[in-house]
Amino acid sequence: VGETTVLFYGFTAAGDRVECETAVVVTDEEHPEFASCPDSFVVNSSRQFPHVHWAVPEARDNVGVVAVRRTRYPTGRITWGQYSVRYTARDQAGNHAVCSFNFHVKPIP
C-alpha cells in the first residue's frame, strides 16, 4: 500500500537508451472481516446479575487491523434485559467491518 516509482528503459533501433518513469499507486480497498461473530443468545437465570460471557470476535485484514472497538465487554455480571453488542474493525486505509449480535438475560421465576 502506497506509491512507488517504476522506471522502464529500452533501446532504440539506433542503440540509444530511452527511459520512461511512472508512479504506481497501490490502494487497499479490501475491508477487514470477522473470522467469527457470535450468534444472538439467551441467558436464563434465577440471579439478577448472572455472569455473561461470549467468545471475542477475531478480525482479520489483508494489510492489518489497526483498531477494534466494542460497545460492551465480553464478560461480566449483567442484569436482566435485552442487549445489543457491536464490534467494529478498521484497517489502515479506513475500511471497516462490523460484527453485531444481541443477547437477552431472562429471569427464571
Side-chain angles (χ1 to χ4, degrees):
V1 176
E3 183 175 324
T4 189
T5 301
V6 178
L7 176 65
F8 297 95
Y9 68 93
F11 296 92
T12 66
D16 297 323
R17 181 181 165 131
V18 291
E19 294 181 355
C20 175
E21 186 177 290
T22 188
V24 175
V25 178
V26 177
T27 59
D28 176 19
E29 296 181 9
E30 188 173 323
H31 292 268
E33 63 181 25
F34 281 93
S36 63
C37 185
D39 292 326
S40 294
F41 61 94
V42 174
V43 175
N44 295 304
S45 178
S46 59
R47 301 163 83 201
Q48 186 177 358
F49 291 94
H51 191 354
V52 177
H53 66 277
W54 57 85
V56 175
E58 178 188 346
R60 295 188 263 194
D61 186 66
N62 62 324
V63 176
V65 174
V66 295
V68 176
R69 298 188 189 275
R70 62 181 170 252
T71 58
R72 185 172 290 280
Y73 285 93
T75 185
R77 297 195 180 281
I78 301 172
T79 191
W80 298 314
Q82 295 183 40
Y83 302 90
S84 295
V85 179
R86 181 180 171 107
Y87 285 79
T88 303
R90 188 167 309 281
D91 69 11
Q92 285 179 294
N95 301 313
H96 69 278
V98 173
C99 162
S100 60
F101 58 95
N102 301 307
F103 66 93
H104 189 174
V105 180
K106 291 183 172 182
I108 296 175

